[in-house]
Amino acid sequence: MSVAEETRESAPTTTVLRTEGLTKSFGGVRAVDGATVTFLDGKINGLIGPNGSGKTTFFNCVTGMIRPDSGKVYLHGQDVTRWAPHRIARAGLGRSFQLCRTFPRMTVLENMLVAVQPHSLGEYLGGSRSPQTVQRAREMLARVGIEHLESSEARDISYGQQKLLELGSTLMPDPPFVMLDEPAGGVNPSLIERIAVLIRELNEEGKTFLIVEHNMDLIMRLCDHIVVFDRGTPIATGTPDVIQSDPRVLEAYLGV
Ligand SMILES: Nc1ncnc2c1ncn2[C@@H]1O[C@H](COP(=O)(O)OP(=O)(O)OP(=O)(O)O)[C@@H](O)[C@H]1O
Ligand SMILES: [Mg+2]
C-alpha cells in the first residue's frame, strides 16, 4: 500500500450533512418522518427509496426550499436549519432538480451564465458575462457533453440534454457539495454513462456528492455510502454490498 493510500484509509471520515429528527408533513402525509441521517464528506453518497418515500422533500428541507416542521439540518457541523436557499448555496451546497429548471427560451449558454451566483442586481438580471465566466461555462458544457448546443434554446434540446444542462448549471458556481435529484432519470444509457464518469471525476477532484436515483446499477456502481428511505425515514445505511443484502431494503422495494 502506498503512503497516499495508507493516509486515505486511516483518515477519519467527516460528516458533510447530518439531519436529526427531520420532519415535514403535507396535510396528513408525513413526507419526511423524523429522519436522522449522516452523509460523508469527500464521498459519493446515495439516497434511495421507493416512489413517494420522501427523497425530494428531504432535499427541499436540506436546501432551504421548504421549511421542515421540526428537526435539524447540519452542514459541516453548522446548524443551517431555516436558512434561506441562497445562504445555503453560498455555504457551498449546489443542487439539481428532479424536474429540470432550465429557462426554455434562453440558449444553453445563457442558462449556464445565469446559474452563476449573482454579485449584483445587474448580474442577477443579465447573468455574469465576464470572459472568464463565459469560458468556464463553455468548459463545463464540454464536460457534460453539450458544448455543440450552446446556441440552441433550451426548449429545443432533448430531455436527456436538458438533464445534462441542469447538471452543468448546478456545477457552474463550483459548489464543493453537490446534491443531484435523479440526474439519470429519463436519460439514455450512453448519456447516463457520461454522467457516471463525470461524477466520479469530479469526486476525485474533491467534490462531495449526494445522489437520489432510481437507477440501481448506477447507484451501486458509484456510491461509497447509501441511505435507504421508506416512508420518510431511513431503514438502512451502509456500503452498496450491505444495502443489497439487507432484507428490509428488498421488502421496501419489492414488497416481499
Ligand atoms: N408539495 C407537496 N404537497 C403535497 N404533498 C406532497 C408535496 N410534495 C411531496 N408530497 C408528498 O410527499 C410524499 C413524498 O414525496 P417526495 O416527492 O418527497 O418523494 P420521492 O421519494 O422524491 O418520490 P419519487 O421517487 O417519486 O421522486 C408523497 O406522498 C408526495 O405525494
Ligand atoms: Mg423525488
Side-chain angles (χ1 to χ4, degrees), residues 69-215:
D69 300 327
S70 57
K72 293 280 183 193
V73 179
Y74 298 94
L75 200 57
H76 289 290
Q78 179 168 34
D79 185 349
V80 300
T81 322
R82 298 180 185 278
W83 280 24
H86 69 271
R87 196 171 168 207
I88 293 179
R90 286 221 180 102
L93 200 171
R95 68 136 340 156
S96 74
F97 290 88
Q98 183 172 352
L99 302 171
C100 294
R101 290 217 172 171
T102 49
F103 297 101
R105 285 172 186 268
M106 283 187 180
T107 67
V108 164
L109 184 62
E110 283 164 350
N111 266 280
M112 295 292 284
L113 297 176
V114 294
V116 179
Q117 282 180 37
H119 295 101
S120 67
L121 185 61
E123 280 190 12
Y124 182 77
L125 294 174
S128 174
R129 281 167 197 273
S130 71
Q132 294 91 329
T133 309
V134 173
Q135 189 187 344
R136 180 170 160 70
R138 291 202 164 115
E139 282 166 10
M140 194 50 75
L141 285 174
R143 284 195 85 167
V144 296
I146 53 170
E147 73 274 30
H148 57 294
L149 298 170
E150 71 162 62
S151 303
S152 304
E153 289 189 4
R155 62 181 172 166
D156 292 332
I157 65 178
S158 75
Y159 181 76
Q161 290 163 339
Q162 286 189 32
K163 294 288 283 190
L164 294 170
L165 175 56
E166 170 84 18
L167 176 60
S169 61
T170 302
L171 295 167
M172 264 309 274
D174 204 16
F177 178 32
V178 186
M179 291 174 42
L180 304 175
D181 196 351
E182 298 199 26
V187 176
N188 77 47
S190 68
L191 291 186
I192 289 177
E193 208 40 51
R194 182 184 280 277
I195 291 172
V197 168
L198 179 60
I199 289 173
R200 199 174 284 294
E201 277 175 14
L202 291 164
N203 175 248
E204 280 164 11
E205 289 166 21
K207 285 194 196 303
T208 301
F209 283 89
L210 171 54
I211 304 170
V212 164
E213 213 5 279
H214 286 290
N215 182 326

